């Protein structure tokens, strides 16, 4: 099986300065396109679907110097996706913890 995932996120945060660093909270929402391709043609059909996500998050920022900062987001993400359990397709919600580590550039 091959699986492809392409997505876009939008986040809104309120940060507080703590010395040269920051911490705060926010809300992040996203939309993903998920594609699954199976090698066993006919036994498992290919899947293409959109997956919606929303998560409250806590953000920690560590200033690295200049315009760069290291970011850590922790949250609980709610996924809305279509599942087929053999009785037909239905929408289902799943809740998963999430963590994101990144580098930001302030312009």
């Amino acid at each position: 099986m091959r699986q492809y995932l392409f997505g876009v996120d939008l986040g809104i945060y309120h940060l507080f300065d703590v010395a040269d660093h920051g911490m705060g909270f926010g809300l992040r929402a996203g939309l993903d396109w998920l594609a699954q391709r199976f090698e066993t043609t006919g036994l498992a059909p290919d899947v293409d679907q959109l997956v919606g996500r929303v998560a409250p998050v806590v953000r920690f920022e560590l200033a690295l110097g200049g315009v760069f900062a290291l970011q850590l987001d922790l949250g609980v993400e709610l996924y809305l996706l279509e599942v087929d359990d053999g009785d037909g397709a239905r929408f289902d919600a799943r809740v998963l913890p999430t963590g994101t580590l990144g580098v930001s550039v302030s312009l």
Side-chain angles (χ1 to χ4, degrees):
M1 175 184 75
R2 290 175 299 177
Q3 185 165 299
Y4 305 96
L5 179 70
F6 300 98
V8 62
D9 283 21
L10 177 64
I12 298 173
Y13 300 89
H14 184 75
L15 298 176
F16 302 95
D17 289 333
V18 180
D20 289 338
H21 311 298
M23 64 180 297
F25 56 89
L27 183 67
R28 184 176 62 225
L31 186 64
D32 298 329
W33 170 66
L34 173 65
Q36 295 174 322
R37 302 295 179 251
F38 299 94
E39 304 298 326
T40 56
T41 306
L43 298 177
D46 291 341
V47 174
D48 287 286
Q49 69 170 305
L50 290 175
V51 178
R53 298 177 283 105
V54 64
V57 294
V58 175
R59 173 171 280 186
F60 302 96
E61 286 192 358
L62 174 65
L64 298 176
V67 297
F68 296 98
L70 185 64
Q71 298 174 338
L72 173 64
D73 286 355
L74 300 173
V76 177
E77 206 155 45
L78 172 68
Y79 288 81
L80 181 62
L81 66 154
E82 187 178 14
V83 295
D84 188 350
D85 56 7
D87 294 331
R90 61 181 170 78
F91 282 100
D92 195 15
R94 306 278 168 93
V95 177
L96 296 169
T98 183
T100 306
L101 183 62
V103 174
S104 68
V105 178
S106 297
L107 302 175

